[in-house]
mmCIF file of all heavy atoms in Angstrom:
data_model
loop_
_atom_site.group_PDB
_atom_site.id
_atom_site.type_symbol
_atom_site.label_atom_id
_atom_site.label_comp_id
_atom_site.label_asym_id
_atom_site.label_seq_id
_atom_site.Cartn_x
_atom_site.Cartn_y
_atom_site.Cartn_z
ATOM 1 N N GLN A 38 -51.554 7.877 60.400
ATOM 2 C CA GLN A 38 -52.226 7.106 59.356
ATOM 3 C C GLN A 38 -51.986 5.613 59.541
ATOM 4 O O GLN A 38 -51.000 5.197 60.143
ATOM 5 C CB GLN A 38 -51.655 7.504 57.984
ATOM 6 C CG GLN A 38 -51.931 8.940 57.600
ATOM 7 C CD GLN A 38 -51.452 9.218 56.209
ATOM 8 O OE1 GLN A 38 -50.377 8.757 55.813
ATOM 9 N NE2 GLN A 38 -52.235 9.958 55.446
ATOM 10 N N LYS A 66 -55.547 3.814 65.737
ATOM 11 C CA LYS A 66 -54.850 2.835 66.571
ATOM 12 C C LYS A 66 -55.583 1.483 66.542
ATOM 13 O O LYS A 66 -54.971 0.415 66.418
ATOM 14 C CB LYS A 66 -54.779 3.372 68.008
ATOM 15 C CG LYS A 66 -53.677 2.735 68.829
ATOM 16 C CD LYS A 66 -53.611 3.316 70.233
ATOM 17 C CE LYS A 66 -52.892 2.337 71.147
ATOM 18 N NZ LYS A 66 -53.025 2.706 72.559
ATOM 19 N N ILE A 76 -61.239 -10.678 59.277
ATOM 20 C CA ILE A 76 -62.224 -10.212 58.309
ATOM 21 C C ILE A 76 -62.910 -8.975 58.865
ATOM 22 O O ILE A 76 -63.349 -8.974 60.020
ATOM 23 C CB ILE A 76 -63.218 -11.334 57.988
ATOM 24 C CG1 ILE A 76 -62.467 -12.412 57.183
ATOM 25 C CG2 ILE A 76 -64.403 -10.817 57.194
ATOM 26 C CD1 ILE A 76 -63.248 -13.641 56.908
ATOM 27 N N GLU A 103 -63.962 5.227 56.587
ATOM 28 C CA GLU A 103 -64.663 6.072 57.569
ATOM 29 C C GLU A 103 -65.135 5.261 58.768
ATOM 30 O O GLU A 103 -65.222 5.754 59.870
ATOM 31 C CB GLU A 103 -65.839 6.766 56.884
ATOM 32 C CG GLU A 103 -65.382 7.534 55.632
ATOM 33 C CD GLU A 103 -66.337 8.630 55.208
ATOM 34 O OE1 GLU A 103 -67.492 8.630 55.677
ATOM 35 O OE2 GLU A 103 -65.905 9.482 54.401
ATOM 36 N N GLU A 112 -56.272 -15.051 65.043
ATOM 37 C CA GLU A 112 -55.296 -15.119 66.127
ATOM 38 C C GLU A 112 -54.020 -14.420 65.675
ATOM 39 O O GLU A 112 -53.679 -14.447 64.483
ATOM 40 C CB GLU A 112 -55.024 -16.580 66.483
ATOM 41 C CG GLU A 112 -56.252 -17.220 67.108
ATOM 42 C CD GLU A 112 -55.969 -18.559 67.769
ATOM 43 O OE1 GLU A 112 -54.815 -19.012 67.745
ATOM 44 O OE2 GLU A 112 -56.934 -19.136 68.303
ATOM 45 N N GLN A 118 -46.977 -17.378 56.831
ATOM 46 C CA GLN A 118 -47.263 -16.082 56.224
ATOM 47 C C GLN A 118 -47.591 -16.301 54.754
ATOM 48 O O GLN A 118 -46.855 -16.989 54.043
ATOM 49 C CB GLN A 118 -46.038 -15.161 56.345
ATOM 50 C CG GLN A 118 -45.595 -14.911 57.781
ATOM 51 C CD GLN A 118 -46.659 -14.195 58.598
ATOM 52 O OE1 GLN A 118 -47.338 -13.290 58.107
ATOM 53 N NE2 GLN A 118 -46.830 -14.618 59.850
ATOM 54 N N ARG A 134 -35.338 -13.978 53.413
ATOM 55 C CA ARG A 134 -36.783 -14.209 53.337
ATOM 56 C C ARG A 134 -37.081 -15.710 53.314
ATOM 57 O O ARG A 134 -36.411 -16.465 52.634
ATOM 58 C CB ARG A 134 -37.346 -13.542 52.088
ATOM 59 C CG ARG A 134 -37.352 -12.031 52.270
ATOM 60 C CD ARG A 134 -38.243 -11.378 51.256
ATOM 61 N NE ARG A 134 -38.252 -9.942 51.497
ATOM 62 C CZ ARG A 134 -38.398 -9.026 50.541
ATOM 63 N NH1 ARG A 134 -38.556 -9.401 49.297
ATOM 64 N NH2 ARG A 134 -38.410 -7.752 50.837
ATOM 65 N N GLU A 192 -60.697 -55.635 41.248
ATOM 66 C CA GLU A 192 -59.493 -55.473 40.457
ATOM 67 C C GLU A 192 -58.230 -55.829 41.228
ATOM 68 O O GLU A 192 -57.134 -55.709 40.705
ATOM 69 C CB GLU A 192 -59.411 -54.046 39.923
ATOM 70 C CG GLU A 192 -60.437 -53.789 38.852
ATOM 71 C CD GLU A 192 -60.274 -52.395 38.282
ATOM 72 O OE1 GLU A 192 -59.274 -52.169 37.597
ATOM 73 O OE2 GLU A 192 -61.131 -51.557 38.548
ATOM 74 N N GLY A 193 -58.404 -56.219 42.475
ATOM 75 C CA GLY A 193 -57.257 -56.607 43.270
ATOM 76 C C GLY A 193 -56.289 -55.458 43.450
ATOM 77 O O GLY A 193 -56.695 -54.325 43.633
ATOM 78 N N VAL A 197 -55.807 -51.973 48.500
ATOM 79 C CA VAL A 197 -57.215 -52.251 48.662
ATOM 80 C C VAL A 197 -57.638 -51.777 50.044
ATOM 81 O O VAL A 197 -57.004 -52.118 51.033
ATOM 82 C CB VAL A 197 -57.496 -53.753 48.489
ATOM 83 C CG1 VAL A 197 -58.915 -54.083 48.892
ATOM 84 C CG2 VAL A 197 -57.238 -54.170 47.055
ATOM 85 N N LEU A 215 -65.974 -50.541 36.187
ATOM 86 C CA LEU A 215 -66.860 -51.681 35.976
ATOM 87 C C LEU A 215 -68.323 -51.228 35.958
ATOM 88 O O LEU A 215 -69.124 -51.720 35.169
ATOM 89 C CB LEU A 215 -66.623 -52.761 37.039
ATOM 90 C CG LEU A 215 -65.181 -53.251 37.223
ATOM 91 C CD1 LEU A 215 -65.125 -54.488 38.102
ATOM 92 C CD2 LEU A 215 -64.482 -53.523 35.898
ATOM 93 N N GLY A 234 -60.952 -41.631 41.998
ATOM 94 C CA GLY A 234 -60.535 -42.675 41.078
ATOM 95 C C GLY A 234 -59.641 -43.713 41.716
ATOM 96 O O GLY A 234 -59.711 -43.960 42.900
ATOM 97 N N LEU A 254 -57.885 -25.611 27.746
ATOM 98 C CA LEU A 254 -57.125 -25.182 28.920
ATOM 99 C C LEU A 254 -56.485 -23.808 28.703
ATOM 100 O O LEU A 254 -56.215 -23.090 29.658
ATOM 101 C CB LEU A 254 -56.045 -26.224 29.261
ATOM 102 C CG LEU A 254 -56.501 -27.367 30.172
ATOM 103 C CD1 LEU A 254 -55.484 -28.495 30.166
ATOM 104 C CD2 LEU A 254 -56.718 -26.887 31.591
ATOM 105 N N GLN A 258 -55.714 -18.427 31.014
ATOM 106 C CA GLN A 258 -54.434 -17.711 31.006
ATOM 107 C C GLN A 258 -54.125 -17.000 32.322
ATOM 108 O O GLN A 258 -52.997 -17.059 32.802
ATOM 109 C CB GLN A 258 -54.393 -16.704 29.842
ATOM 110 C CG GLN A 258 -53.964 -17.319 28.514
ATOM 111 C CD GLN A 258 -52.730 -18.209 28.616
ATOM 112 O OE1 GLN A 258 -51.755 -17.864 29.276
ATOM 113 N NE2 GLN A 258 -52.781 -19.372 28.007
ATOM 114 N N ILE A 261 -53.033 -19.547 34.828
ATOM 115 C CA ILE A 261 -51.746 -20.128 34.458
ATOM 116 C C ILE A 261 -50.618 -19.150 34.787
ATOM 117 O O ILE A 261 -49.601 -19.523 35.380
ATOM 118 C CB ILE A 261 -51.742 -20.498 32.943
ATOM 119 C CG1 ILE A 261 -52.728 -21.643 32.689
ATOM 120 C CG2 ILE A 261 -50.343 -20.891 32.475
ATOM 121 C CD1 ILE A 261 -53.068 -21.863 31.222
ATOM 122 N N ASN A 265 -47.548 -19.565 37.371
ATOM 123 C CA ASN A 265 -46.188 -19.471 36.827
ATOM 124 C C ASN A 265 -45.304 -18.480 37.586
ATOM 125 O O ASN A 265 -44.086 -18.637 37.608
ATOM 126 C CB ASN A 265 -46.236 -19.084 35.345
ATOM 127 C CG ASN A 265 -46.381 -20.315 34.460
ATOM 128 O OD1 ASN A 265 -46.063 -21.429 34.880
ATOM 129 N ND2 ASN A 265 -46.864 -20.129 33.252
ATOM 130 N N PHE A 275 -48.841 -28.457 22.092
ATOM 131 C CA PHE A 275 -49.512 -29.647 21.551
ATOM 132 C C PHE A 275 -49.846 -29.446 20.080
ATOM 133 O O PHE A 275 -49.863 -28.319 19.586
ATOM 134 C CB PHE A 275 -50.779 -29.965 22.352
ATOM 135 C CG PHE A 275 -51.821 -28.891 22.297
ATOM 136 C CD1 PHE A 275 -52.875 -28.965 21.404
ATOM 137 C CD2 PHE A 275 -51.739 -27.798 23.148
ATOM 138 C CE1 PHE A 275 -53.836 -27.967 21.357
ATOM 139 C CE2 PHE A 275 -52.688 -26.790 23.099
ATOM 140 C CZ PHE A 275 -53.738 -26.874 22.207
ATOM 141 N N GLU A 301 -42.870 -56.724 24.342
ATOM 142 C CA GLU A 301 -44.094 -56.750 25.147
ATOM 143 C C GLU A 301 -43.870 -56.287 26.584
ATOM 144 O O GLU A 301 -44.707 -56.498 27.444
ATOM 145 C CB GLU A 301 -44.696 -58.161 25.136
ATOM 146 C CG GLU A 301 -45.225 -58.543 23.769
ATOM 147 C CD GLU A 301 -45.733 -59.974 23.746
ATOM 148 O OE1 GLU A 301 -46.674 -60.268 24.492
ATOM 149 O OE2 GLU A 301 -45.147 -60.795 23.004
ATOM 150 N N VAL A 316 -40.147 -37.620 22.394
ATOM 151 C CA VAL A 316 -41.282 -37.172 21.572
ATOM 152 C C VAL A 316 -41.255 -35.647 21.452
ATOM 153 O O VAL A 316 -41.470 -35.094 20.368
ATOM 154 C CB VAL A 316 -42.622 -37.662 22.177
ATOM 155 C CG1 VAL A 316 -43.809 -36.974 21.505
ATOM 156 C CG2 VAL A 316 -42.754 -39.178 22.052
ATOM 157 N N LYS A 319 -38.596 -34.710 18.952
ATOM 158 C CA LYS A 319 -38.898 -35.081 17.571
ATOM 159 C C LYS A 319 -40.132 -34.372 17.018
ATOM 160 O O LYS A 319 -40.172 -33.973 15.861
ATOM 161 C CB LYS A 319 -39.084 -36.605 17.503
ATOM 162 C CG LYS A 319 -39.200 -37.169 16.093
ATOM 163 C CD LYS A 319 -39.049 -38.695 16.096
ATOM 164 C CE LYS A 319 -39.300 -39.277 14.716
ATOM 165 N NZ LYS A 319 -39.237 -40.754 14.733
ATOM 166 N N THR A 322 -44.191 -31.626 20.887
ATOM 167 C CA THR A 322 -45.493 -31.635 21.571
ATOM 168 C C THR A 322 -45.353 -32.196 22.986
ATOM 169 O O THR A 322 -44.550 -33.109 23.222
ATOM 170 C CB THR A 322 -46.550 -32.450 20.786
ATOM 171 O OG1 THR A 322 -47.791 -32.422 21.519
ATOM 172 C CG2 THR A 322 -46.146 -33.905 20.594
ATOM 173 N N ARG A 357 -46.554 -33.946 29.225
ATOM 174 C CA ARG A 357 -45.183 -33.727 29.701
ATOM 175 C C ARG A 357 -44.553 -35.041 30.192
ATOM 176 O O ARG A 357 -43.923 -35.096 31.246
ATOM 177 C CB ARG A 357 -45.132 -32.690 30.836
ATOM 178 C CG ARG A 357 -45.718 -31.311 30.470
ATOM 179 C CD ARG A 357 -45.315 -30.259 31.496
ATOM 180 N NE ARG A 357 -46.163 -29.082 31.497
ATOM 181 C CZ ARG A 357 -45.816 -27.882 31.000
ATOM 182 N NH1 ARG A 357 -44.647 -27.717 30.448
ATOM 183 N NH2 ARG A 357 -46.647 -26.858 31.066
ATOM 184 N N GLY A 364 -56.960 -45.833 28.638
ATOM 185 C CA GLY A 364 -58.241 -46.213 28.053
ATOM 186 C C GLY A 364 -58.111 -47.409 27.127
ATOM 187 O O GLY A 364 -57.002 -47.831 26.792
ATOM 188 N N LYS A 387 -65.697 -63.168 42.444
ATOM 189 C CA LYS A 387 -65.672 -61.756 42.853
ATOM 190 C C LYS A 387 -66.158 -60.805 41.764
ATOM 191 O O LYS A 387 -66.481 -59.659 42.056
ATOM 192 C CB LYS A 387 -64.241 -61.373 43.259
ATOM 193 C CG LYS A 387 -63.814 -61.993 44.581
ATOM 194 C CD LYS A 387 -62.537 -61.382 45.088
ATOM 195 C CE LYS A 387 -62.240 -61.919 46.492
ATOM 196 N NZ LYS A 387 -60.897 -61.533 46.936
ATOM 197 N N THR A 436 -54.950 -35.899 57.506
ATOM 198 C CA THR A 436 -55.541 -34.634 57.943
ATOM 199 C C THR A 436 -54.831 -33.471 57.246
ATOM 200 O O THR A 436 -53.690 -33.641 56.825
ATOM 201 C CB THR A 436 -55.368 -34.409 59.460
ATOM 202 O OG1 THR A 436 -53.994 -34.598 59.785
ATOM 203 C CG2 THR A 436 -56.258 -35.293 60.279
#
Side-chain angles (χ1 to χ4, degrees):
Chain A
Q38 295 185 319
K66 201 178 159 191
I76 290 174
E103 306 201 344
E112 292 193 0
Q118 301 297 321
R134 288 196 178 149
E192 289 184 70
V197 170
L215 307 191
L254 273 166
Q258 276 313 316
I261 293 166
N265 273 339
F275 63 97
E301 292 176 62
V316 168
K319 189 167 174 184
T322 180
R357 302 194 200 254
K387 288 192 173 170
T436 51

